Amino acid sequence: MKRINKWLAMLLAVVMVLSFAACGKEPTPAPQPEPTTDVTYPVTVKDMAGREVTLEKQPERIVSGYYISSSACIALGLTDKMVGIEDKSAKRPIYKLAAPALIDLPNVGSAKAFDLEACIATEPDLVILPMKQKDTAQTLQEMGIATLLVLPESHEQLIEMFTLIGTATNTVKQAEKLISYYNTKLSAVTELTRDIPDDEKPVVYLGSTGDILRTAPREMYQASLITTAGGKNAGDVLEGSSWTDIDNETFLTMNPDIIVIPTDNFAVSSPDYTAEDVMNNPTFSDVTAVKNGAVYQMPVGYEAWDSPVPSGILGTLWMLKTLHPELYPAEQFAADVNEFYTVFYGFSVNEQDLRD
C-alpha cells in the first residue's frame, strides 16, 4: 500500500521533464520549459534534419506521410486540418477509434515510396515526412510548400517532434500538455523503480512481431522501456540499434525470466506467433519464463506501444505493470490508459479488457 500511495502522490507532483535516451539509460531530470504563448507568423523552425523551415502563416492544410506524425497530429488536435495521409491508414486501429475521417483522406504513399504527385494534389501548406524522405522534402520546399522532416526514434526525439509540430501549427499549448503528461508518468515510474535491487530486476526478452528469435539490442528504444520499468533487457548483450536475429542457443543462454511479445504497427491482431506457441515449443521448455508461464502479449487493438509513438508512454506503463504488479497494479494501468486516450484522442477504452 505504501508503494501505491507513493504512485498516487507522484501523479500529483510538479512535472519534471526527463531526458530518456533510446539506448536504455535511466531518465535524468531536465529543466521545466517556460510556458509559451501563441505562435506569431511568419515563424521559422528547425526540423529534425537541421533544416530551417519558414511558415508564412498558420497551416490550414496538412499532409502527414508517416504514421507516427499522423498520430501526433491527432493528439495535438489537428485532425480537421489534415488533407492527406500515409498508406494503409485504414488498417490502423487508432484512426478508426480517434479520427475515422482520416481513413478517407487521399493516400500519399509510404515512407519508402512517397507519392509526390498525390501530395501536391491536396494543395498542402505543410507536409510532415519521415527522415527517409529528404529528397522529397527538398523538392516540396523548392515548390514553396513548407515541409518538416521528423525522426522520432527515441523519447528525446519524440518530445522534440511534439515541440516542432506544435510550434509549426500553433498548437504549442497542447504539445506542452502532452509532454507534461508523458514526463509526469515517467517521473512516477522512475520513483517507483528507484529502490529495486539490481539482483531483483527480472531479465526480460522482447521478441519481434515476426519471429521470437529476433530481439531488441541495447541501443533500441524498445530496450529502454524494459530498463525504465525496472527490468534487464536480455538483448543488451547484442550490439546494434535494430531488430537482431539470434539462434536457439543464444536464446537459451539468455534464459529470460519474462518473455514479451509486442504488437505490430497496425495492432489489430496478434503477431505471427502467440504466447501459447512459445510456451508449447519443446526447444524452450527449460527457459525460466516458459517454466513459470511468464510469457506475455502486449495489448492489441490500439497502437504498437513498444514503439516511439505518442502513446509509447503506455508501453512503459504496461511493462511496469507486467514486471512489478506489486508496485503498479493492473487496475491503475487500465485507468491510466483510459485517461490518456480520453484526454488526447477523445475516446474511452474498456478498462476491464486491460485488467485481465
Side-chain angles (χ1 to χ4, degrees):
M1 182 63 69
K2 182 177 180 181
R3 290 282 193 180
I4 296 175
N5 288 339
K6 183 184 291 186
W7 166 261
L8 295 175
M10 284 302 303
L11 296 186
L12 299 176
V14 177
V15 175
M16 293 189 302
V17 176
L18 303 175
S19 175
F20 180 42
C23 62
K25 295 180 180 179
E26 293 297 324
T28 54
Q32 172 70 18
E34 294 295 325
T36 56
T37 58
D38 288 342
V39 175
T40 300
Y41 294 87
V43 63
T44 298
V45 297
K46 182 176 289 187
D47 74 5
M48 298 178 72
R51 302 162 55 252
E52 290 193 347
V53 179
T54 298
L55 293 98
E56 298 297 334
K57 61 180 182 178
Q58 183 169 334
E60 299 295 333
R61 298 179 63 82
I62 301 172
V63 167
S64 172
Y66 190 27
Y67 74 94
I68 293 181
S69 57
S70 297
S71 186
C73 285
I74 298 173
L76 295 177
L78 294 167
T79 302
D80 292 343
K81 294 186 177 183
M82 295 181 70
V83 295
I85 199 166
E86 80 283 349
D87 191 20
K88 298 182 180 180
S89 60
K91 294 184 178 181
R92 302 191 191 279
I94 192 65
Y95 299 165
K96 295 178 181 179
L97 292 167
L102 296 185
I103 296 172
D104 297 324
L105 293 180
N107 179 345
V108 296
S110 66
K112 294 182 180 179
F114 189 73
D115 190 335
L116 181 61
E117 202 171 298
C119 174
I120 295 172
T122 66
E123 300 181 353
D125 44 28
L126 175 63
V127 178
I128 307 172
L129 296 175
M131 194 68 74
K132 293 179 181 179
Q133 289 294 327
K134 285 185 178 180
D135 291 343
T136 301
Q138 181 62 31
T139 298
L140 289 167
Q141 283 291 139
E142 291 172 355
M143 297 176 65
I145 301 173
T147 306
L148 302 177
L149 288 168
V150 297
L151 183 69
E153 295 186 356
S154 70
H155 171 73
E156 291 176 324
Q157 292 173 332
L158 187 63
I159 297 304
E160 183 181 350
M161 185 186 73
F162 294 157
T163 302
L164 172 64
I165 297 176
T167 303
T169 61
N170 196 20
T171 55
V172 177
K173 292 179 181 178
Q174 183 69 0
E176 288 179 343
K177 182 178 179 181
L178 181 59
I179 292 168
S180 293
Y181 181 93
Y182 219 100
N183 289 298
T184 298
K185 298 299 185 184
L186 280 178
S187 178
V189 172
T190 300
E191 181 65 19
L192 279 173
T193 59
R194 187 186 307 279
D195 297 328
I196 299 175
D198 194 61
D199 60 1
E200 293 183 14
K201 294 179 179 179
V203 175
V204 182
Y205 180 92
L206 181 67
S208 75
T209 58
D211 191 342
I212 185 62
L213 293 178
R214 184 175 299 129
T215 193
R218 62 174 172 267
E219 294 179 12
M220 280 190 76
Y221 171 85
Q222 285 80 355
S224 64
L225 267 64
I226 295 170
T227 55
T228 302
K232 299 177 183 178
N233 177 40
D236 276 1
V237 297
L238 304 171
E239 299 287 345
S241 58
S242 60
W243 293 105
T244 301
D245 292 324
I246 62 171
D247 55 26
N248 282 325
E249 184 178 354
T250 301
F251 181 73
L252 295 175
T253 301
M254 288 177 172
N255 191 27
D257 300 303
I258 293 174
I259 296 171
V260 171
I261 305 171
T263 55
D264 62 24
N265 289 328
F266 302 114
V268 292
S269 61
S270 298
D272 295 340
Y273 62 99
T274 66
E276 288 73 22
D277 293 333
V278 176
M279 295 283 291
N280 294 329
N281 189 328
T283 304
F284 305 149
S285 60
D286 289 332
V287 173
T288 300
V290 172
K291 289 192 292 186
N292 294 335
V295 182
Y296 304 103
Q297 166 74 58
M298 295 187 80
V300 299
Y302 301 99
E303 294 180 278
W305 290 343
D306 66 305
S307 300
V309 290
S311 62
I313 182 61
L314 302 181
T316 299
L317 296 179
W318 181 88
M319 197 70 70
L320 177 64
K321 182 267 297 184
T322 303
L323 273 55
H324 300 289
E326 75 283 0
L327 302 182
Y328 180 59
E331 293 77 12
Q332 184 62 55
F333 168 70
D336 285 339
V337 172
N338 189 47
E339 176 189 34
F340 177 84
Y341 281 125
T342 299
V343 171
F344 296 106
Y345 287 80
F347 70 91
S348 58
V349 304
N350 186 336
E351 293 188 25
Q352 188 58 49
D353 289 344
L354 295 170
R355 295 178 184 179
D356 298 335

